[in-house]
Amino acid sequence: SHPDAMDLWRGDGLITTNGNLVPVVTVADCLPIYLYDPKTACRGVVHSGWKGTGIVREAIKLAEKEFGARAFDFSVVIGPHIHSCCYQVEQERLEFFTSNFGKSCILPPNNLNLAQANCNLLVDLGVPEDNILCCSDCTCCDSRFGSFRRQASHLPDSMSLEEKLRHFTTMMAFVC
């Protein structure tokens, strides 16, 4: 049997030097992270939620290996995502992020700044701070965007995740 062609294109990111491809990811409150290296024409986008924080490092390392790109040459844009104002998490997750991505991604009392975690990671990789732009729009605060936290918060805890997912608007993030 042949696999469904769409299954071949599902994932949390895509990098390419093929100018005929438009990399896209679907996000709700997670971070769409756009990458572009003008020297190699490598571009892409990754979907980085809290579990996937670090995927941008893997994308840049792959771009270095496959396309000869260098972290220093990348420009990075972090698109609309849930901001720390709306993202409170349990202590265990705060400790994990402090240990792995630095204390600067934690805000009192128990709020997580996923964009800062990714910025710390990018700078550690060698991407210049001046080459990183972070969108100031919070998907949870701003009703123009889909937000699982905002749109599913009123739903009963007894409802399955699958059913809750039917109640929120996904966003497609793409690179032009």
Side-chain angles (χ1 to χ4, degrees), residues 2-21:
H2 297 288
D4 180 358
M6 289 304 294
D7 288 340
L8 298 174
W9 296 97
R10 292 180 191 202
D12 283 326
L14 178 68
I15 59 169
T16 185
T17 56
N18 183 336
N20 294 320
L21 294 179

Side-chain angles (χ1 to χ4, degrees), residues 20-158:
N20 294 320
L21 294 179
V22 178
V24 297
V25 292
T26 303
V27 295
D29 289 316
C30 298
L31 288 71
I33 304 178
Y34 309 93
L35 306 163
Y36 180 66
D37 171 13
K39 290 191 176 174
T40 62
C42 180
R43 67 186 163 284
V45 63
V46 297
H47 167 270
S48 181
W50 76 267
K51 289 180 186 176
T53 303
I55 189 172
V56 71
R57 171 182 35 229
E58 299 308 313
I60 289 177
K61 287 184 181 282
L62 185 61
E64 290 173 336
K65 179 182 172 192
E66 296 294 323
F67 306 123
R70 297 181 320 153
F72 183 81
D73 295 324
F74 273 95
S75 292
V76 179
V77 176
I78 299 174
H81 60 281
I82 193 166
H83 285 238
S84 58
C85 55
C86 296
Y87 196 37
Q88 294 184 345
V89 298
E90 68 281 349
Q91 188 63 34
E92 185 179 333
R93 193 174 308 169
L94 294 173
E95 291 170 7
F96 172 81
F97 272 82
T98 299
S99 297
N100 291 282
F101 304 104
K103 189 173 178 129
S104 63
C105 62
I106 309 301
L107 288 107
N110 59 345
N111 293 51
L112 179 57
N113 185 331
L114 287 173
Q116 186 62 55
N118 279 280
C119 286
N120 292 348
L121 186 150
L122 287 162
V123 168
D124 287 348
L125 275 172
V127 176
E129 273 187 69
D130 288 346
N131 288 12
I132 304 169
L133 178 66
C134 187
C135 183
S136 62
D137 296 317
C138 175
T139 54
C140 195
C141 290
D142 191 332
S143 62
R144 294 178 302 161
F145 302 104
S147 169
F148 184 77
R149 286 225 171 188
R150 182 185 70 248
Q151 293 176 285
S153 64
H154 69 283
L155 300 173
D157 291 338
S158 60

